[in-house]
Each structure stands twice: as structure tokens, then as C-alpha cells.
Amino acid sequence: MPPFPSKEADGSDAELVAGCRAGDVGAFEALYRRFAPRLYGLASRMAGSVDDGEDLLQEIFLQAHRKIGTFKGDAALGTWLYRLAINHCLDFVRSRQAKNTRLTDTLDDESLFEPAAPRETPIARIDLERAIASLPDGCRAAFVLHDVEGFDHREVGKILGIAEGTSKSQLFKARMKLRTMLGNQTT
């Protein structure tokens, strides 16, 4: 699945950017319509809550509106927006962690987690969402971008500003921690 829907009648990336820079409200609406659904899913998963995802989506597009002048066109517009969204989501998660003075980077203490679903029953979606939300920032970002959003490791590396090998390592760690948290020891 491609990271974003194909370019529709709303115009090409270059046309949207030019329109947004010129203050064309219609161009920004088209940009929002094209990218909001995927960015909302990303923000909700990264934040671990649909309510926080909605708030983050608004903040992401406000930031995109303010920073559209810095878009150079070196990468696709979707990649630029994803990078902006990931950074904003990671800042949100870090800020929330600091406020709660709760460490989520260490998953070794199993008392931090709710009991895993029994193996003979399917894992409830809410359990999976909770487990994803409790992953360390880097692992969660790599997991969501690769396994949920469908980006390859090269793209994940570009979006997060990390090496392709680091993306693979973070994804491996995320999968192992999810298996442990969910009590699923099979592959």
C-alpha cells in the first residue's frame, strides 16, 4: 500500500505547496483532505489515544501551515508531512512522560503491564493498542511506520532521520517487546 493516496484532482504536490505558500485556503484544504486520514492514524497510534490523536492532528497541520515555506521539495510532500508529524508526536509523548514522571523506556519490569490475554483467545485490539503505546519512542515509531503504515526500512530511516539498520533494529526490539507484553511467544 502506498503511504498516501494517489494525487487526485486536488493537484500535484508542487501545486499544493505553491497554493499554500500564496495563502490559498482551497490549496490548504486539499492538502488536508489528502493527508489528514493517514496522519490522524499515525498520531492516534503514536499518542495511544484517539482524543490525543485528534488534538495532535490539528497541531500538526497548524505547524505545517506555519512551516510550508521551509518545504524545499527534496522529498515528497507526504514524506515531509510524515516527518513533521512524527517529530511532533514524539515531542508530545516525551512531554507527557516528563509530566507523569513515568519511565516507559524500560519494559523489563513486567509489573508495569496489565496481564496478557490468554493464548487461546485472540488479542483484543485495545490490548495491542496499549502495548504499542507503551513501547519506547524509537521502537514505537519504527513499528508504526513499518508494520502499521507500510513503509520500508529505507523510508522509515528517512522519515525518522536514522539509518536503515537502526530502523530494522528498532522494529526487531518493538516486535520482541510486544510479544513479551502480549504473552505471544510464537512467531
Side-chain angles (χ1 to χ4, degrees):
M1 168 169 45
F4 291 101
S6 62
K7 295 175 182 139
E8 302 155 355
D10 292 333
S12 71
D13 286 355
E15 291 169 337
L16 285 178
V17 171
C20 290
R21 285 180 177 160
D24 179 2
V25 174
F28 196 76
E29 287 175 7
L31 177 98
Y32 182 86
R33 277 192 312 273
R34 183 182 298 167
F35 297 106
R38 296 294 301 267
L39 294 177
Y40 170 70
L42 173 73
S44 295
R45 286 182 191 94
M46 292 291 292
S49 147
V50 293
D51 292 333
D52 289 336
E54 290 172 359
D55 293 341
L56 285 170
L57 183 66
Q58 290 178 9
E59 294 169 14
I60 289 164
F61 275 98
L62 282 172
Q63 190 173 28
H65 186 267
R66 283 187 222 115
K67 293 187 172 193
I68 195 74
T70 66
F71 177 71
K72 297 178 183 158
D74 296 338
L77 181 58
T79 302
W80 181 78
L81 284 168
Y82 246 67
R83 179 79 185 246
L84 189 88
I86 285 287
N87 289 338
H88 194 75
C89 291
L90 290 175
D91 288 345
F92 170 80
V93 170
R94 288 181 191 124
S95 145
R96 181 176 60 196
Q97 287 173 347
K99 287 178 190 169
N100 294 335
T101 61
R102 181 173 57 107
L103 296 175
T104 57
D105 284 342
T106 175
L107 298 174
D108 296 332
D109 184 3
E110 297 202 13
S111 66
L112 293 174
F113 306 107
E114 295 181 18
R119 287 183 195 220
E120 61 274 358
T121 63
I123 298 170
R125 182 182 177 103
I126 190 121
D127 291 339
L128 180 59
E129 292 292 337
R130 259 191 218 129
I132 291 170
S134 69
L135 289 171
D137 296 340
C139 292
R140 180 173 51 255
F143 178 82
V144 168
L145 289 173
H146 185 274
D147 283 5
V148 177
E149 299 295 328
F151 287 101
D152 64 34
H153 288 291
R154 182 185 52 77
E155 293 168 319
V156 172
K158 274 185 162 181
I159 291 168
L160 296 177
I162 59 176
E164 187 174 333
T166 304
S167 170
K168 291 177 183 179
S169 172
Q170 293 284 11
L171 179 62
F172 176 78
K173 290 175 186 175
R175 288 176 177 167
M176 298 311 310
K177 289 176 183 190
L178 287 172
R179 283 183 186 134
T180 300
M181 285 186 279
L182 297 172
N184 180 5
Q185 300 302 314
T186 61
T187 55

